[in-house]
Amino acid sequence: MSEVLRRLPAALAVLVAAALPFLLDDFWLQTGLFTMAAVVGAIGLTLLVGVAGQLSLGHACFAALGAYTYAWAVGESGGRAAGLGLPPLLALVLAGVVAAVAGALFSPISGRLRGIYLGLATIGLVFLARHLMVNLEDATGGFNGRTVEPFSVPGFSFSNEDPDYLAVAGVEFEGLHRLWYLFLVVVLLAAWLGRNIKASRTGRALANVRDSETAAAAMGIHVARAKATAFVISSAYAGIAGALMALAYGRIAPDLFGLQLSIDFLIMIVLGGLGSIAGAAAGAAFVVILPLVLTQYSSDLPFLATPGSGGLDAATLARLLYGAAIIAVLLFLRGGLAGATGRLRHRRAPHPADTDDPPPAPPPPSPAPPGAATPAPSHPGVPTRSKETSP
Amino acid sequence: MSYFLTQLANGLSYGLILGLIAVGFVIVFTSTGVLNFAHGSVLLTGAYLVAVLQGPVGFWAAVVVGIAGAALLGVLINAVLVRNLAEANPGTAAILMLGVDILLLTELTRRIGNRVLPIGAPWGADVVAIGGVTLPTSRAIAAGLAVVVFGLLWFLFARTGTGVAMRAAAADGDTASLMGIRLSRTGAAGWALAGALAAIAGVFLASFPAPGVGPALAISAFAAIPAWVLGGFDSVVGAIVGGLIIGVVTALAVGYESHLHFLGRGLGEVVPYAVMILVLLVRPSGLFGRAEAVRV
């Protein structure tokens, strides 16, 4: 019974997400697509940062790799920028694979550096990626970027054509509606996979490495390989997220994949609560939606000035709120949004069984291995004590 | 040959300015364990104060105010925000600084707008030429001043009680605390020092050949991150050497870009990071960094 209750919020969220295209206008649909693309990337990053304790500011690099791989693989070979003309589904998988391979190539560094040291080293990747994006004009279209072919499976296109007219329950399903469901499926797959990785042998090994590398090594975990694995997994997620971003934008350019994107991904998972899949989704929604909504509805807010007049315009207000929200969460909410909802839930109905994880995830399925000298996979909100564990 | 020497001199002087910024990163990191992503906005704040005040009160008074303002800003960030984190660990502190950076940079960008504020330095756009090597006067002064500042830093850390306390706190905070060193004070001193160094660097980064103070100045602090990382995260000497390496490599890459065309346009922006990654591949903890020792 409690199992059903615990899964209820997630199931409700999925139902609502599936129903939304019947109600929303194009602006909100577009916003939703951006959000879902970001959710996939944020889940990947939270596996790396929250579970394995490795910081990365290179997420934008792998997102860019995924986006351009997708655009390049589905692009017509005769177009202005080169392409392979592959089927889109294959290209989507390829986007993840190429990003994962790139992540694996970085393993001499990602396996050896720890925590924020890795975070600093990965900043370099963003600038390298930008250099490649601008200079490999044949594949990337250079500074101006390239257009992205719409997604399709044989006989059905996720655009406004083929079939030209499609209506469900009286609502015409255009490209945005169709893409919504594609994105939703990818997000659910990503979340399901992410949760399983977290609860699996690999995930527990990663959490062990985060809590103490020495203890992990003593338990027989190959620390460098575990850290490199986490980096590869998160790179693959970023690659898929990049491909989704490419689909949502319809046109990609180097400026989309700057350091700011990496920073935004990091902020999403910290706001949501490190290590929590649902938290990553909530953080992604907040980070993506806030500036878009403020810009869209700024004319309705009387105290805002027009852009460029030196007063407080919508974009500035969005940035200020964004910065203030980050600071407020870090100062007052231990464990981010997920940690806060978890505490709220505990206050209402004390449940000794699920002290271990943020709400939507079930408790780890298997008990701790016998001879439990391992530090238990700790709640992300609990600071670790011993010296060598700080990331 | 004189072209090469000119590029080299430019690179060295730029590298010394980067060193000022990178040392700020090191000091904040060792004294409070914070990866200071807001360093660029602190630098911009200092330079902005100088640019705004140099008209009414004169350049030198404005510089004093700018340095003091940046130092005070750093101390406030540490006292009000960093020390009140819900979970104090390097990761969340780094994100907190990203938030602070967004706030500061947004507000400064709003104030500056599309303008570029002149810094009003007395050396203006002068150039010194010695034996065929030409160097902007501002860069020559920056290089000389940076060397003096590094000397003072050495004196501070090696010969004064405050400096020794700061080193002790960086080496082992718990033990230092038990010995009667107040970590709140060493932390504040570290932030103040870093802010002051950033403001000095900001004044020179906004001088000729740069046009003046604009929001892009905050990005220039990011150029010091590769210098900091490849020098080693916790070494002041490493940060200075790293700054020199990055400065020279950048200047040469820009100066000889026409010969390096096969590597693509805009080489100067990416070369520092490429060098950083190459160094990390060989030495993961940087040139001068301590490999982490783990006690069980």
Side-chain angles (χ1 to χ4, degrees):
Chain A
M1 185 59 202
S2 70
E3 183 73 5
V4 176
L5 270 183
R6 205 174 304 119
R7 282 164 189 257
L8 202 59
L12 271 179
V14 172
L15 273 179
V16 170
L20 278 176
F22 292 97
L23 308 170
L24 300 181
D25 60 17
D26 280 0
F27 165 74
W28 283 101
L29 283 175
Q30 190 76 46
T31 307
L33 293 184
F34 290 142
T35 306
M36 287 193 273
V39 168
V40 175
I43 291 174
L45 195 61
T46 209
L47 288 175
L48 180 68
V49 181
V51 178
Q54 294 281 80
L55 203 64
S56 170
L57 279 165
H59 223 49
C61 164
F62 298 103
L65 209 54
Y68 278 100
T69 301
Y70 178 81
W72 172 68
V74 293
E76 293 303 320
S77 42
R80 196 176 68 81
L84 296 180
L86 293 177
L89 194 59
L90 189 61
L92 188 60
V93 175
L94 198 64
V97 171
V98 168
V101 169
L105 288 179
F106 198 63
S107 60
I109 291 179
S110 66
R112 289 197 278 181
L113 291 181
R114 179 158 94 184
I116 60 168
Y117 301 103
L118 180 65
L120 287 171
T122 48
I123 289 179
L125 290 178
V126 179
F127 289 89
L128 280 181
R130 183 184 167 81
H131 190 68
L132 293 178
M133 282 188 275
V134 172
N135 282 293
L136 295 177
E137 285 193 24
D138 287 342
T140 65
F143 191 76
N144 295 319
R146 61 180 294 169
T147 53
V148 181
E149 300 287 321
F151 196 84
S152 65
V153 289
F156 187 81
S157 168
F158 289 77
S159 65
N160 290 342
E161 297 145 12
D162 187 28
D164 282 339
Y165 182 78
L166 174 71
V168 181
V171 176
E172 186 183 353
F173 266 43
E174 292 179 332
L176 290 175
H177 299 79
R178 301 177 197 180
L179 270 181
W180 180 284
Y181 289 102
L182 174 73
F183 278 41
L184 190 58
V185 168
V186 177
V187 165
L188 289 179
L189 275 177
W192 174 75
L193 199 64
R195 218 191 60 183
N196 281 2
I197 291 174
K198 219 177 111 181
S200 72
R201 190 180 158 84
T202 313
R204 291 204 304 277
L206 294 181
N208 206 337
V209 168
R210 172 197 65 200
D211 290 340
S212 166
E213 291 195 0
T214 317
M219 293 291 293
I221 295 167
H222 194 313
V223 172
R225 191 184 298 155
K227 289 195 286 190
T229 306
F231 200 78
V232 170
I233 293 172
S234 111
S235 305
Y237 268 91
I240 299 286
L244 293 187
M245 280 176 70
L247 281 169
Y249 278 105
R251 175 172 190 85
I252 48 177
D255 282 348
L256 288 178
F257 303 100
L259 191 60
Q260 191 57 48
L261 182 66
S262 286
I263 292 175
D264 284 345
F265 272 127
L266 209 53
I267 289 171
M268 289 171 200
I269 63 172
V270 172
L271 286 183
L274 284 179
S276 157
I277 307 278
F286 177 83
V287 168
V288 173
I289 293 176
L290 176 71
L292 288 176
V293 168
L294 270 178
T295 319
Q296 175 79 0
Y297 295 106
S298 60
S299 55
D300 299 339
L301 297 173
F303 58 89
L304 289 181
T306 50
S309 66
L312 191 66
D313 59 86
T316 306
L317 179 67
R319 296 293 294 167
L320 289 177
L321 281 179
Y322 185 39
I326 296 162
I327 294 174
V329 166
L330 290 174
L331 292 190
F332 305 119
L333 286 187
R334 183 181 285 263
L337 297 176
T341 40
R343 278 195 300 280
L344 215 62
R345 175 182 290 227
H346 282 262
R347 198 171 299 161
R348 269 210 316 262
H351 241 306
D354 60 331
T355 51
D356 215 284
D357 257 302
S366 63
T374 46
S378 70
H379 188 284
V382 178
T384 45
R385 288 290 151 82
S386 55
K387 269 192 101 129
E388 77 272 65
T389 57
S390 50
Chain B
M1 191 62 196
S2 71
Y3 181 74
F4 172 76
L5 288 178
T6 300
Q7 297 304 321
L8 192 65
N10 266 304
L12 287 174
S13 60
Y14 176 57
L16 285 166
I17 300 178
L18 284 184
L20 287 173
I21 306 172
V23 167
F25 277 116
V26 171
I27 293 178
V28 165
F29 183 65
T30 52
S31 63
T32 52
V34 176
L35 200 176
N36 187 4
F37 278 119
H39 206 45
S41 353
V42 172
L43 182 152
L44 180 59
T45 307
Y48 172 77
L49 285 175
V50 175
V52 169
L53 293 175
Q54 52 98 5
V57 304
F59 177 73
W60 295 108
V63 167
V64 172
V65 175
I67 291 175
L72 186 66
L73 180 62
V75 172
L76 282 179
I77 291 173
N78 182 45
V80 177
L81 300 177
V82 175
R83 291 170 60 79
N84 290 313
L85 272 172
E87 352 170 16
N89 67 50
T92 49
I95 314 278
L96 175 76
M97 298 321 293
L98 287 174
V100 174
D101 187 57
I102 290 173
L103 282 188
L104 285 175
L105 196 55
T106 308
E107 176 59 17
L108 286 168
T109 307
R110 189 177 72 82
R111 285 170 178 271
I112 297 173
N114 295 327
R115 296 174 293 163
V116 175
L117 309 175
I119 197 81
W123 47 79
D126 298 346
V127 172
V128 286
I130 308 162
V133 176
T134 53
L135 191 65
T137 309
S138 70
R139 285 291 168 82
I141 294 175
L145 187 69
V147 171
V148 172
V149 168
F150 294 144
L152 289 176
L153 278 180
W154 171 82
F155 183 78
L156 172 74
F157 284 122
R159 290 284 184 273
T160 66
T162 313
V164 173
M166 286 176 72
R167 279 198 298 148
D172 187 339
D174 294 342
T175 311
S177 190
L178 288 171
M179 295 306 209
I181 291 170
R182 293 175 66 162
L183 297 187
S184 56
R185 289 196 185 161
T186 55
W191 278 85
L193 206 51
L197 293 177
I200 296 173
V203 168
F204 287 109
L205 282 177
S207 301
F208 183 78
V213 179
L217 201 58
I219 314 288
S220 58
F222 262 98
I225 286 186
W228 170 34
V229 174
L230 81 83
F233 298 94
D234 51 7
S235 161
V236 172
V237 178
I240 299 169
V241 174
L244 287 173
I245 292 175
I246 294 296
V248 169
V249 170
T250 309
L252 291 183
V254 172
Y256 288 92
E257 191 170 8
S258 53
H259 299 275
L260 301 168
H261 208 68
F262 62 96
L263 289 174
R265 283 170 293 151
L267 201 57
E269 289 167 27
V270 71
V271 150
Y273 297 95
V275 172
M276 174 183 87
I277 290 179
L278 286 179
V279 169
L280 288 178
L281 277 172
V282 184
R283 288 184 64 93
S285 46
L287 294 176
F288 291 81
R290 283 177 304 177
E292 283 176 279
V294 179
R295 275 190 302 264
V296 182

